[in-house]
Amino acid sequence: MKKLDESEIIKIFQTGFGKKNVGSEDVEIFNLGKNKIVAKTDTLVESTDIPSKMKLSDAARKSIVACVSDFAAKGVKPKYGMISVNLPKTISRSKINEIVLGFKKACREFDISIIGGDTNGGKEIVFNVCLFGITDKLVTRKNSKKGDLIFVTGPFGYTSAGLTMLLDKKKGNKTFVKKAIKSVIKPNPRLSFGIKNKKYFSSSMDSSDGLSTTLNEMSKQSKNKFIINKVPFLKDLEDYVKHYKLNLHNLVFNGGEEYEFVFTTSPKNRKIIERNAVLSKTKIMEIGHVTSGKGVYVEKNNNLTLLKDAGWKHF
Amino acid sequence: MKKLDESEIIKIFQTGFGKKNVGSEDVEIFNLGKNKIVAKTDTLVESTDIPSKMKLSDAARKSIVACVSDFAAKGVKPKYGMISVNLPKTISRSKINEIVLGFKKACREFDISIIGGDTNGGKEIVFNVCLFGITDKLVTRKNSKKGDLIFVTGPFGYTSAGLTMLLDKKKGNKTFVKKAIKSVIKPNPRLSFGIKNKKYFSSSMDSSDGLSTTLNEMSKQSKNKFIINKVPFLKDLEDYVKHYKLNLHNLVFNGGEEYEFVFTTSPKNRKIIERNAVLSKTKIMEIGHVTSGKGVYVEKNNNLTLLKDAGWKHF
């Protein structure tokens, strides 16, 4: 019998609701009256998503970031939010204050108004966030064109290293440890960059399920081949990986929760996008191009290696 | 130190977000583009909300009913929904199918399209539902007028009896046991009645936190006194209560989770509302009237007894 991983469970739900599209985009979109409403919900569960060394304020903020990141990938401004919180009966007032602080911080940062929600008892802490915005047109995951360039909004690989440090022990030089842990507890979604440059994207997708998952999904949905000729990492990650004999490829492509995004664009937009990236302090990296065919391949010394979807699964 | 009950926790959140209005209405309302969007989120948690004898399909349906009931009270049609589900890693495929079945059933019943959601691992089953609709104007909790009549959409008291039967043992005659248990596992929100009659309501509120809580909230928000001269129960409940020496008042006023609603209306609308109620098979009951002053009072043999807010608390 097939293992019940998340994609399998999602399939059961999708089949049940008779909708092919449920879950095939970063955000949900629906018409109410004269507007296209964009909505996204995300859940943070104590036992699976919150390392014990993570502050509850950071966890609360991150539960909003997870949704904001999907809005960022689509270049849509989230305006309103609803927050549902489950709390164990034994929780202290100071922990609750910490949680509120984290939500408030995120709302200020991304200019979101909380309009409601609910609080419940439960065996563990659960944050469920639902954000709303409007848009005229949605950049999809599927419209990359042959000849398009592939970009990411920042370097990858830190979250996987940072999570190991939070769960196990810190290793590596101080600056690197700090950077890696920060990538887990204070992720920065690229909202202003996404909003500003959306018009140039032929396709885009939030990368938080892992870069290999994201690239494979975009390639599959657009029925194009993606060639990656520059793996998006920086020297400090390479040094760390060499020193501790880790697998660089795995950290970069299969880490997940980076809250960066991938976009494709026509080469004619390269200059303007790069200029906008500097203005919004977003360190975008060009990592490859779109061509005809299928699958995602990493190009190295003129050899192509298939990049499998091996990103993060919730189950 | 004050006990952390739900209203206390909500207060901490409200103070945190600097919004007096968060949580003061049945549903959330916000403007996006040219429309007033109505949204409501509700969470069902295995350890606190799902009796072990309740089927997961009924629990899933009920998590949608809980939101629909708030839309019913406001006379707004919910159109779209998002569902977030937390599932323990050990859950079986047949249990997941049961859950999907319950969600599907509710969506068909109330004509709701599920547009997305997410699935997560967790220590216990959690269903978080978020529904959306649009409206031009919202009936609030606060606009009852002196001289208005007070109605409920059905008799109260069965859920409290039914829950005891589900948790402990069944007692009473077969028909009553069936009715009481059904009130817990298959609640019927009064959506079509609400939509049809909304225009006659001066104020309205979903009663699922308990009738005493609902009446007190509506009285407080409207700065009017509510006189209850007919306690909304039927003979079968009275018989059951007498036989087992239970407290009728407590069952009717403080049970909660009835998914009925309370509304106030001008006496001139009585006839048309009563006619509409027959058409939609909703057994509304006139329970009292609004007058000047404050507080909620039960009138019996010309004596007035203060009805305290003693409804159901989540914590």
Side-chain angles (χ1 to χ4, degrees), chain A residues 242-287:
Chain A
K242 271 186 189 156
H243 193 269
Y244 293 99
K245 293 181 181 127
L246 299 169
N247 183 333
L248 180 72
H249 177 99
N250 208 24
L251 289 191
V252 171
F253 284 110
N254 308 325
E257 296 216 2
E258 279 90 359
Y259 302 115
E260 301 288 351
F261 66 85
V262 178
F263 62 91
T264 56
T265 188
S266 159
K268 71 170 192 272
N269 300 320
R270 184 194 270 138
K271 266 202 184 150
I272 175 84
I273 289 178
E274 283 179 344
R275 198 164 58 209
N276 285 341
V278 172
L279 291 175
S280 68
K281 291 175 187 160
T282 307
K283 298 197 166 85
I284 62 168
M285 300 166 91
E286 188 183 322
I287 63 167

Side-chain angles (χ1 to χ4, degrees), chain A residues 134-167:
Chain A
I134 47 168
T135 190
D136 44 355
K137 202 178 138 259
L138 199 71
V139 181
T140 64
R141 294 175 173 179
K142 71 177 178 196
N143 276 330
S144 79
K145 306 285 174 242
K146 289 166 196 71
D148 275 355
L149 307 176
I150 306 168
F151 281 86
V152 291
T153 53
F156 281 67
Y158 297 98
T159 53
S160 191
L163 193 59
T164 313
M165 291 171 192
L166 274 171
L167 295 175

Side-chain angles (χ1 to χ4, degrees), chain B residues 302-314:
Chain B
N302 287 322
N303 285 322
L304 290 184
T305 316
L306 185 71
L307 178 71
K308 284 188 189 156
D309 171 1
W312 195 73
K313 307 280 171 213
H314 298 264

